[in-house]
């Protein structure tokens, strides 16, 4: 049996997960015990004291000081236990260990991006080493999002114009889902990502390598990977259908009418400008909602995307 799994919950992937689950389990079983007990007694009394034969009967009046004290004292003790227990966990989950590695998390419609002190960036995928406390310094570029990693039992709102902080220490390698749990618009349900937990030596290698096409990968294939990894697919279709943004099908070389009435032909420079300064030239009929990828995408990433877009013919 997989001991890291517990009642209704995903695997315990962080140092705080087992504590969170223990308290959750305690509250769950206590609630279930009282729910079943109260329901059973209600049903029993309904049957026992039902008025029979239409005759008026007086229900026996139960008076017991001992009983009253019992049902005041026991729930009070239980609630105090839950409060003290929960408060201790809460404090532990909010005090970031001093030896933490810091990663900047940015939420925006509709993807997550991650910036490391060493300069590496990632979109949609948070890569971390196992057994190392990681501090997440989070903010939003637009509306309120919420960063949730069920396997780590952490969840924290991500707000514009303000930093929020959370931390975790992964206890096992693997991939774990990130969800946005604050309704943030049309793409909310697609605003998910992955935490990839690597052994320490592999993480060091990943940090050094940064990005770029892998061994034997063409720029076009690399661009196809970037298209998904950077969540371009949330707003741009490949089949010609109109989404939040124009479709990428047959985009390269297409004549587009801009919101100011001018017409341009889509070329390398237009694509590059649209990725870095999306507000510079807007295709008519679309809302100005494209986020800038300045500081997120490297030149090699943009080269890959251009190669990929060129390959998407009508
Ligand atoms: Cu971001 Cu929901």
């Amino acid at each position: 049996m997989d001991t890291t799994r517990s009642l209704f919950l995903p695997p315990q992937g962080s140092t705080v997960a087992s504590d969170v689950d223990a308290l959750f389990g305690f509250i769950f079983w206590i609630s279930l015990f009282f729910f079943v007990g109260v329901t059973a007694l209600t049903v029993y009394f309904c049957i026992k004291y039902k008025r029979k034969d239409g005759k008026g009967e007086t229900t026996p009046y139960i008076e017991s000081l001992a009983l009253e004290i019992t049902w005041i004292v026991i729930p009070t003790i239980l609630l105090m236990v839950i409060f003290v227990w929960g408060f201790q966990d809460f404090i532990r989950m909010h005090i970031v260990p001093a030896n933490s590695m810091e990663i900047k998390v940015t939420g925006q419609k509709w993807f997550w991006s991650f910036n490391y002190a060493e300069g590496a960036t990632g979109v949609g995928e948070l890569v971390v080493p196992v057994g190392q406390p990681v501090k997440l310094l989070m903010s939003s570029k637009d509306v309120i999002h919420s960063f949730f990693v069920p396997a780590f039992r952490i969840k924290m709102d991500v707000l514009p114009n303000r930093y929020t902080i959370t931390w975790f220490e992964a206890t096992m390698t693997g991939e774990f889902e990130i969800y946005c749990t604050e309704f943030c618009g049309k793409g909310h349900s697609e605003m998910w990502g992955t935490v990839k937990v690597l052994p320490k030596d592999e993480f060091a290698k990943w940090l050094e390598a940064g990005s770029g096409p892998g061994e034997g990968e063409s720029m076009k294939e690399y661009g196809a990977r970037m298209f998904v990894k950077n969540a371009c697919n949330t707003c741009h279709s490949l089949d010609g259908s109109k989404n939040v943004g124009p479709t990428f099908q047959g985009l390269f070389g297409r004549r587009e009418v801009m919101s100011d009435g001018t017409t341009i032909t889509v070329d390398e420079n237009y694509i590059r400008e649209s990725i870095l300064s999306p507000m510079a030239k807007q295709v008519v009929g679309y809302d100005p909602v494209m986020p800038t990828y300045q500081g997120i995408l490297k030149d090699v990433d943009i080269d890959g995307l251009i190669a990929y877009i060129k390959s998407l013919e009508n």
Side-chain angles (χ1 to χ4, degrees):
M1 198 186 125
D2 182 359
T3 52
T4 63
R5 273 182 190 280
S6 61
L7 193 71
F8 318 133
L9 299 170
Q12 299 172 340
S14 77
T15 48
V16 299
S18 59
D19 296 335
V20 173
D21 292 2
L23 180 55
F24 172 78
F26 180 73
I27 295 171
F28 175 82
W29 289 114
I30 284 200
S31 305
L32 191 68
F33 173 78
F34 282 102
F35 171 73
V36 169
V38 168
T39 308
L41 278 175
T42 306
V43 171
Y44 172 71
F45 287 145
C46 280
I47 294 165
K48 184 168 158 58
Y49 295 110
K50 184 178 185 299
R51 188 200 284 181
K52 290 160 191 116
D53 311 327
K55 276 180 269 164
E57 274 179 60
T58 311
T59 311
Y61 188 74
I62 305 166
E63 194 172 6
S64 165
L65 183 65
L67 196 58
E68 279 187 42
I69 289 173
T70 307
W71 72 44
I72 288 170
V73 169
I74 289 181
T76 304
I77 290 172
L78 283 176
L79 283 178
M80 288 314 290
V81 167
I82 291 169
F83 168 71
V84 172
W85 189 345
F87 188 67
Q88 283 173 340
D89 284 349
F90 178 86
I91 292 296
R92 200 152 84 78
M93 291 169 75
H94 280 76
I95 296 178
V96 182
N99 60 336
S100 296
M101 180 181 110
E102 187 174 299
I103 300 172
K104 176 77 181 54
V105 178
T106 305
Q108 60 188 289
K109 296 178 189 174
W110 285 281
F111 61 91
W112 300 103
S113 53
F114 309 98
N115 285 269
Y116 296 73
E118 290 78 2
T121 55
V123 174
E125 189 176 71
L126 172 61
V127 183
V128 295
V130 70
Q132 157 79 44
V134 175
K135 172 185 174 182
L136 301 178
L137 182 65
M138 309 195 288
S139 64
S140 164
K141 281 198 177 171
D142 36 51
V143 298
I144 300 178
H145 303 276
S146 187
F147 186 87
F148 180 34
V149 185
F152 295 170
R153 312 293 190 267
I154 57 165
K155 174 150 74 174
M156 182 57 75
D157 277 5
V158 178
L159 303 119
N161 306 320
R162 188 183 318 183
Y163 291 116
T164 51
I165 289 165
T166 188
W167 77 277
F168 65 86
E169 179 181 333
T171 52
M172 56 170 148
T173 57
E175 295 191 1
F176 307 96
E177 290 109 351
I178 301 168
Y179 295 104
C180 177
T181 52
E182 187 73 52
F183 182 67
C184 54
K186 182 179 168 286
H188 164 68
S189 62
E190 286 168 65
M191 191 172 168
W192 49 267
T194 312
V195 188
K196 194 174 188 178
V197 183
L198 297 175
K200 279 189 174 156
D201 53 333
E202 275 183 44
F203 174 77
K205 265 188 235 154
W206 174 86
L207 207 53
E208 233 168 67
S211 56
E215 188 106 337
E217 188 178 33
S218 70
M219 283 310 278
K220 187 186 111 183
E221 288 160 347
Y222 178 61
R225 200 149 60 78
M226 291 297 105
F227 173 70
V228 175
K229 188 178 168 228
N230 293 293
C232 312
N233 57 348
T234 320
C235 300
H236 299 281
S237 78
L238 296 178
D239 59 3
S241 58
K242 185 175 169 170
N243 200 336
V244 176
T247 182
F248 278 4
Q249 186 189 54
L251 177 66
F252 199 82
R254 191 158 73 203
R255 305 269 294 162
E256 294 272 38
V257 180
M258 300 292 113
S259 50
D260 63 0
T262 57
T263 303
I264 58 107
T265 301
V266 177
D267 60 6
E268 289 89 344
N269 280 316
Y270 172 72
I271 296 174
R272 185 185 160 81
E273 181 184 56
S274 296
I275 291 171
L276 298 177
S277 314
M279 298 304 132
K281 293 191 185 78
Q282 309 257 327
V283 179
V284 73
Y286 291 93
D287 293 330
V289 292
M290 162 101 180
T292 173
Y293 281 81
Q294 189 93 48
I296 296 173
L297 291 184
K298 297 192 181 75
D299 283 346
V300 63
D301 304 333
I302 295 171
D303 292 347
L305 281 166
I306 291 172
Y308 178 57
I309 289 170
K310 277 182 181 172
S311 74
L312 301 167
E313 288 169 6
N314 282 309

